[in-house]
Amino acid sequence: MKINKISNIENKNLKIESSLLIDGVLVGILAGIVGAIYRLLIGYSEKIVHFVVEFVKNGFFLKVGLLFVLIILGLVSGFLLKQEPMASGSGIPQVSAEITGRLNSNPLRVLIYKITGGLTASLGGLSLGREGPSIQLGAMSGKLISRVLKKNSVNEKYLITCGASAGLSIAFGAPLAGVLFSIEEVHKHVTKKIIICCFSAAVVANIIGQYIFGLSAVFTFPEIGFVEVTIYPWIALLGILLGLFGTFYNIVIKILFKIYEKLNLNIVFRPQVAFIISFVLFIFYPIVLGSGHSLVEILLEHKFSISFLLILYFIKTLFSLISFTSGVAGGIFLPILIQGAVLGTLFSNFFDNKYTALFIILAMSGYLTAIVRSPITSIILLFEMTQKLNYFLPIALCCLFAYFTANILGTKPVYEYLLERILISNHLEDNELEMEVELVTTISNDSFLIGKNISEIPWTKNTLISNIERSGKEIVPKGNTVLLSNDKLTIIMPKNIVNEFLEKFKE
């Protein structure tokens, strides 16, 4: 027997991590460029919408022309949906399904149709955000890089995840939030490898974003001073209220999906509902058109009545959800933040003006937490978007109460619900039976597995222990390997036995 090479496992692992870092940089470059192009297009389209709002005020025939253009844009959106259904909506549930192997989209087609569809919806004034599509565009950029480099399925999932991180990073200038969101919402597991590739991709994408869009914060707020402890009970109350409003949001989105289903419109004509409502708002209430980014500055600079803010919140929320549930390409992340800002302004009406900026920031983060249930991402995202770090305890308190309230009320996180809809509508449940997944788990201090050989443990059928990480070092699992407390196991198994495995070994 001729031995060509003996590799040290630890050195091999270092090489794998270095390779993932380089792959992350490549993904970050492509995702950053694609995301920057999309962000620029959406930005220009919203400027066009603002111009049209002023332009059509001057005559009846201009309004008729606007209606005609919006109908055409609605038909174009419907045609794009029919051609590539996986480019619909925000794209975040599709990315989650890609990671778990339940979807296998054509990355180039999704990139083309997502950009075109998002631009069409934005030109029509629909109340949608750029972040969800940016995450999907980043993920598909990662998948494209993976295909070019001929990566295996496990590494492809790493690159898809780090592409999602880069997408959120370029959309909001928030690399840390990009990494955390990808781990919390997309990949669901934390490993050193996933952190390395996600972080490298997000940082590179953010560098590209800073070069193109500058270093200024996405949202500009006045300086926020020291928050008195006496305000904390009111912050807790705000969190509870945001939990209630977040639950309202998650209920309404389900209702609107059911209404669209009862209308039973052909997919080509389904977006027309949103575009016709957009026409009405162009004429009578243009402040809610588009993502609403400029609304934050308006709320900071002017004092509004409680009735105006309540009307603004409900119209903005309903229009955003009608736009989103129509199926067109576009996200809900940024509109959610804007709706939260309106609620924060409403709450601040009962306090001194010096607290307005604080309550807006807290409400943006808390409202997002109540709807998405990703509190850490919500906190870090607002820190990065505002570039202010002196209100950690207030924002954490608000998010915790919002999270608790929304959980108690029992509605599912919005992206989990949307993922279920995609899987059901595409009849993808049965595909899970043939799919293998990688599960990463850590042995707790009171586990019954401690001190046992791997061969002694009654694992579920077709389960493979592929790797053990112990005290930062990786060891090759063997039948006589004794498991210790805090060992991190990487386990490969068929998707259809995951629940059986979790039930058998739950602690």
Side-chain angles (χ1 to χ4, degrees), residues 285 304-314 342 346 349:
Y285 207 71
F304 296 102
S305 67
I306 292 174
S307 59
F308 174 84
L309 292 170
L310 280 171
I311 292 170
L312 176 61
Y313 168 76
F314 284 111
V342 176
L346 177 62
N349 271 18

Side-chain angles (χ1 to χ4, degrees), residues 145-286:
I145 293 288
S146 175
R147 296 289 171 87
V148 171
L149 298 178
K150 299 181 179 179
K151 299 288 183 179
N152 60 35
S153 60
V154 173
N155 284 338
E156 180 170 280
K157 289 177 174 58
Y158 283 137
L159 298 196
I160 290 173
T161 306
C162 74
S165 298
L168 185 58
S169 177
I170 188 69
F172 283 154
L176 285 178
V179 173
L180 289 171
F181 183 81
S182 295
I183 293 172
E184 274 192 300
E185 283 296 321
V186 177
H187 205 82
K188 304 291 187 182
H189 296 297
V190 183
T191 64
K192 187 189 293 185
K193 292 175 184 176
I194 199 66
I195 292 174
I196 287 170
C197 64
C198 284
F199 196 70
S200 60
V203 168
V204 170
N206 192 49
I207 291 170
I208 293 172
Q210 288 184 350
Y211 182 78
I212 297 173
F213 303 106
L215 301 175
S216 58
V218 174
F219 293 118
T220 304
F221 284 89
E223 196 61 39
I224 297 172
F226 177 75
V227 181
E228 298 90 344
V229 178
T230 53
I231 296 294
Y232 279 29
W234 298 109
I235 292 173
L237 175 62
L238 175 61
I240 293 170
L241 294 173
L242 293 171
L244 294 172
F245 279 104
T247 301
F248 165 77
Y249 182 100
N250 285 341
I251 291 172
V252 172
I253 196 171
K254 294 178 182 179
I255 293 171
L256 288 173
F257 270 123
K258 289 178 181 177
I259 291 173
Y260 271 111
E261 288 167 3
K262 287 184 178 179
L263 291 174
N264 198 26
L265 297 172
N266 184 290
I267 193 169
V268 175
F269 300 105
R270 180 165 170 157
Q272 289 296 345
V273 176
F275 280 90
I276 289 172
I277 292 175
S278 179
F279 169 73
V280 175
L281 295 172
F282 259 100
I283 307 303
F284 298 107
Y285 207 71

Side-chain angles (χ1 to χ4, degrees), residues 269-472:
F269 300 105
R270 180 165 170 157
Q272 289 296 345
V273 176
F275 280 90
I276 289 172
I277 292 175
S278 179
F279 169 73
V280 175
L281 295 172
F282 259 100
I283 307 303
F284 298 107
Y285 207 71
I287 194 172
V288 298
L289 294 172
S291 65
H293 184 276
S294 58
L295 252 180
V296 176
E297 292 182 8
I298 296 173
L299 293 172
L300 284 168
E301 294 173 359
H302 301 87
K303 187 75 174 177
F304 296 102
S305 67
I306 292 174
S307 59
F308 174 84
L309 292 170
L310 280 171
I311 292 170
L312 176 61
Y313 168 76
F314 284 111
I315 294 179
K316 179 66 178 176
T317 301
L318 289 173
F319 181 48
S320 175
L321 288 176
I322 289 169
S323 301
F324 181 74
T325 52
S326 71
V328 299
I332 52 177
F333 223 92
L334 187 53
I336 286 173
L337 293 176
I338 304 306
Q339 293 154 32
V342 176
L343 291 174
T345 309
L346 177 62
F347 192 78
S348 71
N349 271 18
F350 299 97
F351 297 86
D352 191 278
N353 287 340
K354 69 179 182 178
Y355 293 114
T356 300
L358 173 67
F359 284 130
I360 288 177
I361 293 172
L362 298 184
M364 290 168 79
S365 187
Y367 188 61
L368 180 63
T369 297
I371 294 169
V372 179
R373 295 318 141 73
S374 296
I376 299 175
T377 298
S378 301
I379 293 168
I380 298 300
L381 180 64
L382 264 295
F383 282 160
E384 292 189 292
M385 292 180 74
T386 61
Q387 294 182 2
K388 295 183 183 300
L389 304 172
N390 57 340
Y391 48 85
F392 174 78
L393 284 178
I395 201 171
L397 182 66
C398 182
C399 287
L400 286 175
F401 273 89
Y403 184 90
F404 175 79
T405 304
N407 266 355
I408 288 294
L409 293 173
T411 55
K412 279 190 174 182
V414 67
Y415 290 123
E416 285 187 18
Y417 167 70
L418 294 174
L419 176 58
E420 283 184 9
R421 280 189 54 83
I422 288 175
L423 297 178
I424 292 170
S425 63
N426 289 276
H427 310 290
L428 294 172
E429 292 82 0
D430 291 336
N431 291 349
E432 298 182 9
L433 300 176
E434 302 175 359
M435 183 189 68
E436 287 191 337
V437 296
E438 183 182 81
L439 188 148
V440 180
T441 184
T442 302
I443 298 177
S444 60
N445 293 326
D446 57 351
S447 173
F448 70 90
L449 299 177
I450 295 174
K452 291 188 177 181
N453 293 340
I454 288 179
S455 58
E456 296 175 353
I457 300 168
W459 304 103
T460 49
K461 189 178 179 182
N462 298 323
T463 296
L464 172 67
I465 313 300
S466 65
N467 185 64
I468 299 175
E469 183 179 324
R470 180 178 294 165
S471 301

